[in-house]
């Protein structure tokens, strides 16, 4: 029964976790707050901060799990900021080499895709997974480990990117999603009329929505920031949940799972919970970037007898389907 230590450093969280047959034994996340001053993640600063923290974060994950060493090591191999990815990836390889353990290179998106299984161990294939983060927005049909089909994806901005851009227009701090989410709770979702773009198939488009918000902010009928946030959030949530319901009708699959940083959004969680779909909505810590989801995929890959050679490369771009 594999006990997997995983490292995740693809963006601005330095994370390590241990997962075994009993579930999550430890899950440590160090969030870098140095980027707020720049209004976005600075890749070089992120990589250096990972180098500083990774040793302590791994030591803490092992000590909280109560084990001296795991039976396999996994690390995020991409997609992400490549200099940042390489820190956890090289550190994980070094541990596997030193301990003479199998190494697994894990796709970050696959982590988000399968993380809901950690929340709900009864979540069984096949299911639909909506992954919404700062870099990705897509609906996948999940048939089994490594068997994913994209049913729809964004044709321009990711949902989290749209949140971050709207936040910036309103002068809110980075990352913008949580700030817009908080303000939205105080506003009227019907205050500003905004489009619900429907590009082809089951795809998403958020760039026109962002432009509509900008035009409204420049207009003479400008409503309060809270009203703007509430209206923007209602439009994003309508698009996401609407498409997921269409995907469910298309495929006949009623089991759906939610993942990625934007899955922390209160409006989205509430709308999905009352959509009538059989939804697994993981706790926020499992939706935003974490190492437990990477350990989970690493463990499933080990159970399937898989591992990677130590010369496996990290990739800035790595599609999973
Ligand atoms: O998955 P994630 O932690 O990192 C990536 O892999 O991209 O997602 C980060 C994104 C950011 O765009 C952030 O603004 C957004 O998730 N986000 C939110 C919320 N919390 C984080 N967006 C909307 N509402 C939230 N509560
Ligand atoms: Zn992510």
């Amino acid at each position: 029964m594999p006990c997997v230590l995983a490292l995740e450093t693809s963006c601005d969280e330095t994370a390590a976790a241990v997962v075994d047959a009993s579930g999550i034994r430890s899950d440590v996340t160090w969030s870098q707050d140095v980027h707020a001053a720049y209004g976005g993640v600075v890749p070089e600063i992120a990589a250096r901060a990972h180098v500083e923290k990774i040793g302590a974060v791994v030591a803490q994950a092992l000590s909280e799990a109560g084990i001296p060493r795991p039976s396999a090591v996994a690390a995020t191999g991409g997609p992400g900021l490549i200099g940042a990815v390489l820190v956890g990836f090289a550190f994980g390889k070094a541990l596997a080499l030193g301990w003479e353990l199998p190494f697994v290179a894990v796709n970050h998106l696959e982590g988000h895709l399968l993380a809901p299984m950690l929340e709900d161990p009864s979540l069984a294939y096949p299911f639909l997974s909506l992954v919404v983060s700062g870099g990705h927005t897509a609906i996948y049909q999940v048939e089994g480990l490594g068997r994913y089909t994209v049913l729809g994806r964004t044709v321009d901005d990711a949902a989290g990117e749209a949140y971050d851009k709207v936040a910036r227009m309103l002068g809110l701090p980075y990352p913008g999603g949580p700030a817009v989410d908080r303000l939205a709770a105080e506003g009227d979702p019907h205050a500003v009329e905004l489009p619900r773009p429907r590009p082809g198939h089951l795809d998403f488009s958020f760039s026109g929505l962002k432009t509509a918000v900008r035009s409204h902010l420049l207009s003479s009928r400008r409503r309060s920031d809270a009203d703007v946030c509430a209206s923007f959030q209602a439009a994003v949530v309508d698009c996401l949940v609407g498409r997921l319901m269409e995907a469910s009708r298309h495929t006949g699959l009623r089991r759906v799972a939610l993942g990625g940083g934007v899955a922390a959004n209160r409006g989205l969680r509430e709308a999905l919970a009352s959509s009538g779909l059989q939804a697994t909505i993981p706790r926020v810590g499992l939706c935003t970037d974490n190492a437990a989801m990477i350990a989970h995929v690493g463990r499933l890959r080990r159970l399937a007898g898989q591992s990677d050679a130590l010369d496996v490369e990290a990739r800035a771009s790595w599609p999973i389907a």
Side-chain angles (χ1 to χ4, degrees):
M1 280 298 166
C3 172
V4 177
L5 166 72
L7 287 68
E8 151 65 43
T9 62
S10 65
C11 191
D12 58 346
E13 339 274 350
T14 313
V18 175
V19 169
D20 68 8
S22 67
I24 301 174
R25 308 232 348 192
S26 65
D27 185 12
V28 181
T29 304
W30 169 264
S31 295
Q32 305 176 352
D33 48 18
V34 291
H35 305 288
Y38 303 92
V41 178
V42 184
E44 176 71 15
I45 294 177
R48 286 168 183 261
H50 286 312
V51 172
E52 270 172 42
K53 281 286 169 196
I54 189 74
V57 166
V58 167
Q60 191 183 338
L62 288 171
S63 121
E64 284 180 14
I67 55 160
R69 71 169 63 178
S71 67
V73 180
T76 301
L81 305 171
I82 196 65
V85 169
L86 280 168
V87 177
F89 202 57
F91 202 97
K93 283 184 179 185
L95 289 176
L97 181 68
W99 283 333
E100 296 183 24
L101 294 176
F103 177 74
V104 187
V106 173
N107 185 305
H108 179 86
L109 287 174
E110 195 174 10
H112 280 306
L113 199 65
L114 302 184
M117 300 170 109
L118 284 169
E119 180 85 11
D120 174 11
S122 73
L123 178 63
Y125 309 118
F127 59 89
L128 298 179
S129 196
L130 171 65
V131 178
V132 262
S133 73
H136 300 271
T137 298
I139 297 174
Y140 299 89
Q141 181 165 338
V142 181
E143 293 288 343
L145 180 65
R147 292 167 56 210
Y148 318 117
T149 314
V150 182
L151 300 181
R153 57 159 43 113
T154 181
V155 298
D156 40 55
D157 292 351
E161 202 178 345
Y163 264 95
D164 294 334
K165 286 176 179 170
V166 165
R168 191 185 290 225
M169 289 178 212
L170 294 170
L172 297 169
Y174 180 88
V180 171
D181 192 8
R182 266 194 303 277
L183 260 180
E186 299 159 21
D188 171 8
H190 305 291
V192 186
E193 211 174 298
L194 293 172
R196 267 72 170 156
R198 291 170 56 84
H201 309 292
L202 293 166
D203 288 342
F204 302 96
S205 167
F206 294 105
S207 140
L209 179 55
K210 173 196 69 190
T211 308
V213 170
R214 181 175 289 123
S215 314
H216 172 79
L217 293 177
L218 296 171
S219 78
S220 54
R221 302 163 286 108
R222 178 173 172 158
R223 303 288 298 255
S224 71
D225 288 359
D227 281 351
V228 172
C229 288
S231 302
F232 168 72
Q233 181 145 311
V236 173
V237 169
D238 276 356
C239 293
L240 293 172
V241 177
R243 281 308 206 200
L244 195 53
M245 292 174 76
E246 281 174 60
S248 169
R249 280 197 297 277
H250 266 271
T251 57
L253 296 175
R254 299 193 41 74
R255 255 193 308 260
V256 303
L258 185 63
V262 181
N265 186 266
R266 275 180 291 188
L268 177 58
R269 300 172 76 86
E270 282 164 19
L272 190 55
S274 53
S275 67
L277 295 169
Q278 193 184 322
T280 299
I281 306 173
R283 66 186 143 83
V284 170
L286 275 180
C287 294
T288 51
D289 286 350
N290 66 87
M293 67 183 190
I294 305 302
H296 174 60
V297 174
R299 197 173 160 275
L300 295 178
R301 299 258 323 268
R302 286 304 299 145
L303 284 170
Q306 301 171 8
S307 63
D308 291 291
L310 285 179
D311 63 355
V312 58
E313 283 189 46
R315 305 187 220 176
S317 156
W318 184 2
I320 53 168

